[in-house]
Amino acid sequence: MTAVRPATAGSAADLVRACSPESLSRRFTLGGPIDPEAVLSRYRRFLLAGTALVAEVSGAPAGLLNAVPEEGSRVELGLLVADRWQRRGIGRGLVGLAAEQWRGWTLHATVQDGNIAAEGLLRACGFRFVPGYGGEHEYELTVTEETLDDGTAGARPDGLQRCAVAAYAGLERHRDARGSSACRSAAGVAAALLPGR
């Protein structure tokens, strides 16, 4: 059973320790794998930035969402899902909750070049690609009632988004998420997004 609660320093630290060095590197835009303790030492303050929510499965942290409001009705999203819980709807559920909370705002996420899974997640949630800086890709979603009504970013009554994995079943390879087709495999759902700057 999954519950979503405000993140604490302890739950955020437990989640970071449940992530692989590769996942942490993608989330924090680092050139190579990074040790969880190094992330906690260097980025602890970012883990509780803005509205910080943790998804828990059977009491253990599985995912962390940061939603940081900025000027101009824009919210910067950061997402981290523990490796064990990736591709199980945790990331999509947390993004759906952000959409519910920030109606009328534009959600923004920055994804490291090559993070096809994160790009696939964003596309599946209705985000569109917008030009960004070298090495990073920018995605945005303006949350309207229509966005929530069509189920693109809306959440189920229990607070978790329908898992997108079934929609991607049977397709074996990734496609370029920035092109006309989103990432289309179960391996392409729910990875890491970058924190706001």
Side-chain angles (χ1 to χ4, degrees):
M1 176 178 223
T2 305
V4 178
R5 308 181 198 292
T8 64
S11 63
D14 288 346
L15 178 68
V16 167
R17 290 181 181 115
C19 292
S20 69
E22 293 77 17
S23 288
L24 294 173
S25 177
R26 284 192 303 270
R27 167 65 164 84
F28 294 99
T29 322
L30 300 169
I34 184 169
D35 179 69
E37 296 308 317
V39 168
L40 292 172
S41 171
R42 189 170 179 183
Y43 295 104
R44 188 175 301 268
R45 68 182 182 163
F46 293 112
L47 297 173
L48 297 176
T51 299
L53 300 174
V54 65
E56 296 178 340
V57 178
S58 300
L64 175 69
L65 172 80
N66 297 95
V68 181
E70 298 177 340
E71 291 183 26
S73 297
R74 178 175 146 145
V75 177
E76 184 71 27
L77 296 182
L79 181 66
L80 179 63
V81 177
D83 294 56
R84 175 180 175 196
W85 298 107
Q86 291 178 10
R87 296 174 296 282
R88 296 183 185 212
I90 300 291
R92 187 166 173 144
L94 287 169
V95 171
L97 288 174
E100 287 282 341
Q101 181 176 356
W102 298 98
R103 293 176 190 215
W105 290 60
T106 298
L107 304 181
H108 178 266
T110 303
V111 179
Q112 186 178 15
D113 187 31
N115 193 343
I116 295 171
E119 291 183 285
L121 169 65
L122 292 171
R123 289 258 188 205
C125 290
F127 283 70
R128 64 182 175 79
F129 175 75
V130 293
Y133 300 102
E136 296 179 341
H137 302 160
E138 310 288 324
Y139 284 85
E140 289 186 347
L141 171 69
T142 299
V143 184
T144 64
E145 291 301 321
E146 182 178 289
T147 302
L148 296 170
D149 288 343
D150 76 7
T152 303
R156 297 186 325 216
D158 67 0
L160 292 178
Q161 177 65 36
R162 292 181 304 271
C163 184
V165 173
Y168 304 127
L171 297 171
E172 296 178 12
R173 63 183 174 87
H174 296 288
R175 295 184 213 168
D176 185 357
R178 295 179 315 278
S180 61
S181 298
C183 184
R184 299 279 182 160
S185 78
V189 180
L193 302 179
L194 304 176
R197 296 203 165 95

